[in-house]
Amino acid sequence: MKRYIVNSFNILKNISKNKKHGIVLYNMIFPLWLLWIFPVTWIVVLPANLLIDLLVLSLSMRCLKLDGRKEIAKKAVLKVWIAGFVSDFIGTIMMICAVLIDSFLDYQSPLGAWWYENMTNAVSLNPFETLPAFLWTAACILISGICIYQLNFRLALKKAVPDTAIRKKLALSLAVFTAPYLFLLPTAWFF
């Protein structure tokens, strides 16, 4: 991480010396997927995620024509909400790993330069820029989705929905519709 900050300041020095190359300070901006870690954003994120989880749970139960939907929702929604945050956190850790791996590589080596250009910058700014960055981001979303499914199936819905088949369907629905697809949102659009 220290080397990453040093590289950022070296780029800044190069810009002041050589302005005609048009270097952009991509690594000086925090990626959008890191914003949810900061407590200020939690004021909006926490209630919004609760509402989304409740909506997906309610609509899924309605589609499955379950009886006692209100009771199930009351018993499970907070656990579903927590399971979603834990799963998103796991995906975020994976996203951060793409940036942290860069700090262990020699920037002057071919592998270090490739990783920086194709993974660190692309994952942080625009996952659609390179295929490796897109695959990394998609894998992070998939891992989060699998965690959402497992945590909901094994923990959050276990007492509220004793029927295993229905619990699997609800957990799958939550995993598909509440996976952190915003990881794909290019932060480059915002600056």
Side-chain angles (χ1 to χ4, degrees), residues 66-86:
L66 290 181
D67 294 327
R69 292 188 290 259
K70 286 184 183 180
E71 291 78 25
I72 293 171
K74 284 180 186 178
K75 287 180 185 177
V77 72
L78 287 177
K79 292 176 186 176
V80 166
W81 184 50
I82 292 168
F85 269 104
V86 168

Side-chain angles (χ1 to χ4, degrees):
M1 188 70 166
K2 184 178 178 183
R3 191 179 63 121
Y4 182 71
I5 294 169
V6 170
N7 285 340
S8 298
F9 286 109
N10 286 339
I11 290 172
L12 188 60
K13 278 195 255 179
N14 289 338
I15 287 176
S16 63
K17 289 179 187 174
N18 202 355
K19 292 185 181 184
K20 61 184 169 185
H21 288 302
I23 299 171
V24 179
L25 294 178
Y26 288 128
N27 54 350
M28 297 294 284
I29 306 294
F30 276 102
L32 186 65
W33 43 265
L34 284 177
L35 291 177
W36 81 276
I37 292 174
F38 299 105
V40 175
T41 63
W42 291 4
I43 295 168
V44 175
V45 172
L46 290 174
N49 270 354
L50 180 65
L51 290 174
I52 291 168
D53 289 340
L54 181 60
L55 179 67
V56 170
L57 185 62
S58 298
L59 290 175
S60 299
M61 289 189 295
R62 181 174 286 203
C63 289
L64 293 171
K65 298 179 178 142
L66 290 181
D67 294 327
R69 292 188 290 259
K70 286 184 183 180
E71 291 78 25
I72 293 171
K74 284 180 186 178
K75 287 180 185 177
V77 72
L78 287 177
K79 292 176 186 176
V80 166
W81 184 50
I82 292 168
F85 269 104
V86 168
S87 301
D88 289 354
F89 183 72
I90 291 167
T92 300
I93 298 258
M94 296 298 298
M95 292 289 284
I96 292 170
C97 283
V99 176
L100 292 179
I101 289 171
D102 183 53
S103 65
F104 295 108
L105 298 173
D106 179 18
Y107 186 68
Q108 303 300 325
S109 73
L111 177 63
W114 180 89
W115 188 270
Y116 181 77
E117 288 299 318
N118 291 293
M119 293 296 290
T120 303
N121 270 348
V123 167
S124 298
L125 296 170
N126 184 359
F128 298 105
E129 192 172 306
T130 67
L131 181 61
F134 175 77
L135 293 175
W136 183 280
T137 305
C140 293
I141 293 168
L142 181 64
I143 289 168
S144 289
I146 290 169
C147 290
I148 290 169
Y149 174 82
Q150 291 294 330
L151 290 174
N152 284 317
F153 177 72
R154 298 187 186 280
L155 298 172
L157 298 170
K158 193 166 189 165
K159 289 183 181 176
V161 184
D163 185 343
T164 304
I166 292 173
R167 197 167 67 237
K168 281 182 181 180
K169 290 176 184 177
L170 289 173
L172 182 61
S173 174
L174 285 161
V176 169
F177 294 113
T178 65
Y181 299 110
L182 286 178
F183 287 176
L184 290 170
L185 187 66
T187 56
W189 290 353
F190 299 101
F191 54 90

